[in-house]
Every structure is written in structure tokens, then in C-alpha cells.
Amino acid sequence: MSGNQDAALLNELVGLSRSLGRPEKDLVILGEGNTSVRLDGESFLVKASGTSLADANPGSFVRMDFGRTLSLLNLRDPADDELDEALMGARSSDEGELRPSIEAPLHALALTEGEAAFVGHTHPTAVNSVLCSDRAGALSEGAIFPDQIVVLGRHPLHVLYADVGLPLAHALRDGLREHKRRVGAPPKSIYLQNHGLVALGSSASEVEQVTTMADKHARIMAGVLAAGEPVYLTAEQADRLDTRSDEEYRRHVLQGNR
């Protein structure tokens, strides 16, 4: 990939990060959340540790090597300093003192196993209000309105709680592989119990749309659970919405395609 293409993708990533970090959206605060983009088959950019999505700039991201980052999953119970050293060693070039996010392996998996081009990981208050409850599975057990299917996908993935870092990456890898065996395709939306949301997209715009719709879905679900039990669309109804030509066209337009 050329330097111009890398720069264009970096600019898109900066724009996505700043948008997801806007305070009024209530998706992240302080240094929460991280984003990434696949540059080519060998490398990707991920937000550096300690930086803010709201204040993201081109210097907020670290270029990582896919192979070395994914190989971290082979480490057996590494000490914190060993993991830090391995993460720094997974960088694809001299990035100075910038440290990659501890969730870099999660992003590497989402960009490979998850087949995404862009990834946004956020901690929306509305989403976590459900994910931190005993009804966390309600967000992924079925569809309650049509646009949920169109934007978030027919089959979201729910991942049980795992510690941030390699344990979460292992859980995500297992979840993605099982999901693809069962469904035949990767998810667009991933709910991490007691943690947050991962949005996978073919573009920065799609990641933002998935994140925004997941936030709306969670707010509706919180109201539904306060009023009673969710009334999910039937499998037949949901499948029909997922495959209708008009909805498929609208999905492509929303993703920036024609």
C-alpha cells in the first residue's frame, strides 16, 4: 500500500476516533475505548495507550505487525512486564515511546478473523447498563426492530466477561470462530459482557453507524426490560428483513456503497 493510501486511512481513523469520542454521544470518557484500521495484509494502526479518542490526532496511533501481534496469543500467563515488552516488539516500525493499547490483539483479531477494515471499541453507558446486568444476553438474543438487523447484522456476538488483554483476546478469538462456524460469516456487532461494544465495519462510516445503532438499541432494550419482557421478531421475520432487496440496498448505501 502506498504512503498516500496509508495517510488517507489514518485520516479516516482520526475522524472516526474523534467522532466516537464526542462527549455528547456518551460512548467513552477520558482514555476509554480504542480504534483501528487495517493498512494491508501485514500491518494495522491501533490507538496508543493513554490517548483520548476525543483528542485523537495522527500521532495517537501505533503501526503494528499482524503476525507478531497475533503471536502474543501463544504466550502462557505472561507477567505484566513480559506482555508490555511483547506488545512493544509487535510494532511494525520504530514508534518511539508510543505504547500500543493492551487491546491491540483484540483489534488484530477483529481485523483478521472478523474480516473488518475498521474497528471501533467503545464503552457506551446505555450498552453497559444492560451488559452489566443479569439480562446482558437480551442485546444479542434476538431482534426487536427492523433497523437493528439492517445496521447491526442478523447475528450479533456475545462474549462472556474476560480480563482485558490476552484473556479477552482469547475469548474473542473463540467466539469469532464459533460464530463463523454457526452463521457462516463474522458479526458486525460484538457485545463484551461487563465491558462494552466492538463494532466491525468495511468503512469508518459503517463502524460509526453500528456503534450509534447499538447505543439506540440498548436504550430501547433498557426501556423494554423496565416495562416487561422483550418481544423479539420471529426468526422468519428477522431473516426476511435481513435478505430483502430494498433493505440490502439501504444497507449498501449506509455503508457508502452504491
Side-chain angles (χ1 to χ4, degrees):
M1 181 170 289
S2 72
N4 288 339
Q5 288 174 303
D6 283 2
L9 289 170
L10 174 57
N11 286 335
E12 286 188 71
L13 185 61
V14 169
L16 170 65
S17 302
R18 288 178 175 171
S19 182
L20 294 179
R22 287 169 57 184
E24 65 270 23
K25 291 187 174 182
D26 198 23
L27 303 174
V28 294
I29 63 170
L30 306 174
E32 285 184 339
N34 31 71
T35 52
S36 63
V37 63
R38 174 164 32 89
L39 297 176
D40 50 40
E42 297 180 352
S43 60
F44 66 103
L45 293 172
V46 69
K47 187 176 81 80
S49 179
T51 59
S52 164
L53 287 178
D55 299 322
N57 60 68
S60 302
F61 300 90
V62 185
R63 186 172 184 138
M64 305 291 292
D65 179 86
F66 272 122
R68 291 198 293 274
T69 304
L70 292 172
S71 71
L72 298 180
L73 276 74
N74 297 326
L75 296 175
R76 293 175 178 265
D77 300 320
D80 289 344
D81 56 350
E82 181 185 358
L83 179 56
D84 288 344
E85 183 178 351
L87 273 170
M88 293 293 276
R91 299 178 302 172
S92 60
S93 60
D94 182 9
E95 301 288 341
E97 296 299 316
L98 278 181
R99 291 180 172 272
S101 167
I102 191 66
E103 291 175 333
L106 176 150
H107 284 267
L109 286 165
L111 294 166
T112 54
E113 300 262 2
E115 302 177 22
F118 284 84
V119 176
H121 170 40
T122 53
H123 303 167
T125 298
V127 173
N128 276 352
S129 70
V130 181
L131 286 180
C132 295
S133 78
D134 61 359
R135 298 302 304 274
L139 292 176
S140 55
E141 289 169 358
I144 54 176
F145 59 95
D147 277 353
Q148 175 191 342
I149 297 171
V150 174
V151 179
L152 299 183
R154 174 71 176 87
H155 301 283
L157 172 62
H158 182 94
V159 177
L160 295 178
Y161 180 79
D163 287 345
V164 174
L166 292 185
L168 178 55
H170 282 288
L172 178 62
R173 182 181 63 182
D174 293 344
L176 284 170
R177 290 178 177 178
E178 190 280 330
H179 187 279
K180 289 199 289 184
R181 283 194 297 268
R182 177 170 51 88
V183 176
K188 290 185 178 182
S189 51
I190 302 172
Y191 295 102
L192 306 178
Q193 189 164 321
N194 293 89
H195 187 153
L197 171 75
V198 180
L200 282 64
S202 60
S203 65
S205 176
E206 185 175 17
V207 167
E208 182 149 15
Q209 291 160 14
V210 169
T211 303
T212 303
M213 186 60 72
D215 180 68
K216 176 180 179 178
H217 173 220
R219 286 186 283 114
I220 293 174
M221 182 59 76
V224 167
L225 293 173
E229 291 297 312
V231 177
Y232 294 111
L233 301 178
T234 67
E236 181 180 3
Q237 290 168 333
D239 288 341
R240 173 64 177 144
L241 284 164
D242 192 39
T243 57
R244 275 174 43 169
S245 60
D246 59 325
E247 297 290 17
E248 184 64 26
Y249 174 77
R250 191 157 66 95
R251 180 181 291 126
H252 280 288
V253 171
L254 285 170
Q255 294 172 4
N257 302 316
R258 292 293 189 273

